[in-house]
Amino acid sequence: MTSTLNSSGMNDDHFYDSPEYDSVTSQHNVLMDPEERERQEEEWRTELAKLEEEIQTLRAVLNTKLRETAELKRRLGITPMVEFKQDLQQGISAIRESEPIQKTNEKLHQLGDTIASSDAYQKTNAAFKSFGAFATRKLGDFRNSTAFKSVEDKVGGAYTSIKNQLSGSRSANEFDDARRNGSNPDNTRNQP
């Protein structure tokens, strides 16, 4: 669209939005004779009424089309949530396929490859692997050590001692009897 300058040096595209237009219109109306001004204003009112009527008709047609669209979507099972999900998926897809995201993804892959092939990464990776093997070997050695065996024996002894103390109680005897007699409560009552 090309813009042209009017005789006053103003851009014609924006002339009607300017305060100068209002003053020109006012001056024009003042210079007209009253009958001519009345005829011009009546013409404008008629044109305005036609435009407003067309706008109302277009709004009514648009509302009818929107209702028909909503009814067809309802019949097809397309709910607002389904539409939202589809719009969201399309938006995410568009973002993923966009050139900046593709370039960023490519650069990140290149950076990852560069890091993985660097000497520092290789040395660090080897150090972690050897540390893991060392830690596993040391834990195995500790488990076979005399200190661990001593602790294991003490814990096992304490467990056996507690179990033996409980076995003398009535509840432990009833449990053992019930286990031997097949969990029938009548069998435990009939025994002496």
Side-chain angles (χ1 to χ4, degrees), residues 93-109:
S93 178
I95 289 171
R96 284 184 181 157
E97 294 170 2
S98 69
E99 188 175 333
I101 296 297
Q102 293 295 326
K103 285 183 179 179
T104 302
N105 195 19
E106 183 181 318
K107 293 291 183 187
L108 288 174
H109 281 294

Side-chain angles (χ1 to χ4, degrees), residues 36-79:
E36 180 67 26
R37 187 173 1 146
E38 185 65 33
R39 186 189 61 74
Q40 181 69 45
E41 287 178 2
E42 187 59 36
E43 198 176 293
W44 289 341
R45 283 188 198 99
T46 304
E47 188 177 342
L48 180 62
K50 283 181 187 177
L51 287 173
E52 286 176 345
E53 185 179 328
E54 287 178 15
I55 290 170
Q56 291 301 321
T57 303
L58 290 172
R59 282 185 180 151
V61 169
L62 180 61
N63 285 334
T64 302
K65 297 291 183 185
L66 288 172
R67 280 193 300 275
E68 289 174 7
T69 302
E71 179 61 25
L72 288 172
K73 285 180 179 180
R74 186 190 61 78
R75 288 179 184 171
L76 291 170
I78 302 172
T79 63

Side-chain angles (χ1 to χ4, degrees), residues 21-38 40-41 44:
Y21 175 73
D22 290 339
S23 66
V24 169
T25 307
S26 298
Q27 290 172 1
H28 181 66
N29 286 342
V30 170
L31 297 176
M32 294 175 89
D33 68 58
E35 291 175 5
E36 180 67 26
R37 187 173 1 146
E38 185 65 33
Q40 181 69 45
E41 287 178 2
W44 289 341

